[in-house]
Amino acid sequence: AQRVTQPEKLLSVFKGAPVELKCNYSYSGSPELFWYVQYSRQRLQLLLRHISRESIKGFTADLNKGETSFHLKKPFAQEEDSAMYYCASVVGSNYKLTFGKGTLLTVNP
Amino acid sequence: DAGVTQSPTHLIKTRGQQVTLRCSPKSGHDTVSWYQQALGQGPQFIFQYYEEEERQRGNFPDRFSGHQFPNYSSELNVNALLLGDSALYLCASSFWGGYGYTFGSGTRLTVV
């Protein structure tokens, strides 16, 4: 079964510092990978998807098949980036999302 | 567009009771998926409905069942509630075969 691991439950950085949220997946094939974000009192929303190769709100994520990782990065964190971040994968044509447990990012002023 | 609408927002039930949660998908979406999110965990897939049929199911017992109506809205039913069923239940809608999931705000179920 596919598994998504986010090793950090909590991550705290200062404003302007770089941030990296780690995500590893277990599937050896070619999964679709996503980062979802949940801001305080808001619903879960898609931040970015690896296949689109976009940069959303300054965040990027690169798929590393060798390390089976999909880490989320931002060079200069902002206070409004404080939120819960979930990494998720979809394998094959089953279209069901498998989520990690999430990382709570706090950006301090 | 209201996006995905879930009702009720909060619910308290007693062990052994049955509960029904409701979801209206985003306009234009035809597929509804349900997720359970326990405290401190990521969402876990329960099942997915398309064309009024359950298309996929996660690792949940038969006490969890669902339905999709011709207007694409959906219900999640849980029978014989256990304390461990206490969680946030999320509904996500999408186009069939697509990855653009839109999530609702969820229903917070507390079983006492």
Side-chain angles (χ1 to χ4, degrees), chain B residues 46-59:
Chain B
I46 303 175
F47 43 52
Q48 182 182 73
Y49 277 84
Y50 169 66
E51 290 187 329
E52 302 177 50
E53 288 186 17
E54 183 182 293
R55 298 292 177 158
Q56 296 184 71
R57 189 177 184 90
N59 190 24

Side-chain angles (χ1 to χ4, degrees), chain B residues 35-51:
Chain B
Y35 290 81
Q36 181 195 65
Q37 186 172 20
L39 205 59
Q41 304 291 319
Q44 274 199 294
F45 177 79
I46 303 175
F47 43 52
Q48 182 182 73
Y49 277 84
Y50 169 66
E51 290 187 329

Side-chain angles (χ1 to χ4, degrees), chain A residues 9 32 34 36 38 43-44 49 86 90 92-97 99-101, chain B residues 2 4 35 37 40-43 45 48 56 90 97-99 101 103-105:
Chain A
K9 205 168 186 177
E32 287 280 347
F34 307 82
Y36 279 81
Q38 187 166 28
R43 59 188 66 191
L44 200 59
R49 177 182 166 190
Y86 293 97
V90 170
S93 58
N94 65 24
Y95 304 117
K96 70 173 189 179
L97 287 164
F99 286 88
K101 292 187 177 182
Chain B
V4 177
Y35 290 81
Q37 186 172 20
Q41 304 291 319
F45 177 79
Q48 182 182 73
Q56 296 184 71
L90 296 171
Y99 297 112
Y101 304 97
F103 281 83
S105 298

Side-chain angles (χ1 to χ4, degrees), chain A residues 29-72:
Chain A
S30 297
E32 287 280 347
L33 290 156
F34 307 82
W35 276 98
Y36 279 81
V37 61
Q38 187 166 28
Y39 301 102
S40 179
R41 301 186 187 280
Q42 294 187 28
R43 59 188 66 191
L44 200 59
Q45 56 186 288
L46 178 66
L47 180 62
L48 58 79
R49 177 182 166 190
H50 92 272
I51 200 168
S52 62
R53 295 186 171 273
E54 291 176 303
S55 172
I56 307 294
K57 299 186 179 183
F59 284 97
T60 58
D62 290 319
L63 175 61
N64 185 323
K65 290 188 178 181
E67 296 182 357
T68 59
S69 68
F70 187 56
H71 302 330
L72 183 68

Side-chain angles (χ1 to χ4, degrees), chain A residues 72-84:
Chain A
L72 183 68
K73 299 176 185 178
K74 185 169 183 176
F76 307 104
Q78 304 298 315
E79 288 180 67
E80 54 266 30
D81 295 329
S82 295
M84 182 67 102

